[in-house]
Amino acid sequence: EIVLTQSPGTLSLSPGERATLSCRASQSVSNSYLAWYQQKPGQPPKFLIFGASSRASGIPDRFSGSGSGTDFTLTIDRLEPDDFAVYYCQQYDRSPRTFGQGTKVEIK
Amino acid sequence: QVQLVESGGGLGKPGGSLRLSCAASGFTFSDYYMSWIRQAPGKGLEWLSYISDSGSYTKYADSVRGRFTISRDNAKNSLFLQMNSLRGEDTAVYYCARENLVRGVTEGFDIWGQGTMVTVSS
């Protein structure tokens, strides 16, 4: 199975700053079949990005995804208070679909 | 609006069974692959199983293969997860999720239910 490793585990930033989250795959993810989700406590995950770089419906352009192969990045520009949450990457290239362990973006 | 609502969670005994349901509304259910995903308390997300739009094709994670069965009733816009031989490590919030359909290809999970809690304990 494809193992996804996210870093850092926790990112401490202030509102207005840029967040850069990394997701590294143990094998190449074909066709950039990688998605990103945001999860807040007590809520289900929210779909942010698919195809490594395509924003889901209604997602502001402050959120951007990039990467290919084994290295992917989620960038959040100008952090807003509502952005502080846990972020997961997920690959859907091969079965089983797998998630990274998450990166927590917390207020500094 | 587009919505998924899970039900059927609760307390199950080790070795016992539970059946989860997921009611879909606001979209043409029969057009979409569907998945079950779980999250143990304080932990990350674990994909468990998916089922094709017609129900003819299913896939499972190793952790649940042979114990859990996914199914659907397109006439009733419903997804199910039959959970047998329950273990303590099955304790989690269980989410149903719609697979995002992009030009005939599924890309990620775009709609999630609120989840239903399953606790396995004697």
Side-chain angles (χ1 to χ4, degrees), chain B residues 39-88:
Chain B
Q39 187 169 36
K43 302 297 184 182
L45 299 164
E46 180 187 16
W47 171 82
L48 301 178
S49 178
Y50 74 69
I51 187 167
S52 63
D53 46 6
S54 65
S56 59
Y57 186 69
T58 59
K59 201 93 173 179
Y60 296 92
D62 287 348
S63 59
V64 302
R65 187 178 296 114
R67 299 189 301 124
F68 291 9
T69 302
I70 191 171
S71 63
R72 65 192 295 162
D73 183 340
N74 285 344
K76 295 183 177 179
N77 295 331
S78 295
L79 177 72
F80 305 101
L81 186 68
Q82 178 66 43
M83 307 166 62
N84 297 333
S85 303
L86 287 167
R87 304 168 179 167

Side-chain angles (χ1 to χ4, degrees), chain A residues 60-74:
Chain A
D61 58 9
R62 298 185 297 103
F63 290 85
S64 61
S66 62
S68 63
T70 60
D71 290 295
F72 298 89
T73 301
L74 175 70

Side-chain angles (χ1 to χ4, degrees), chain A residues 14-71:
Chain A
S14 300
E17 291 191 298
R18 168 183 288 183
T20 303
L21 287 66
S22 173
C23 176
R24 179 161 290 178
S26 60
Q27 307 169 45
S28 183
V29 177
S30 303
N31 301 304
S32 297
Y33 280 164
L34 189 112
W36 290 92
Y37 304 85
Q38 175 196 72
Q39 189 178 34
K40 298 176 184 178
Q43 296 184 18
K46 179 180 180 180
F47 188 45
L48 297 177
I49 299 284
F50 65 96
S53 61
S54 296
R55 274 185 299 277
S57 176
I59 302 304
D61 58 9
R62 298 185 297 103
F63 290 85
S64 61
S66 62
S68 63
T70 60
D71 290 295

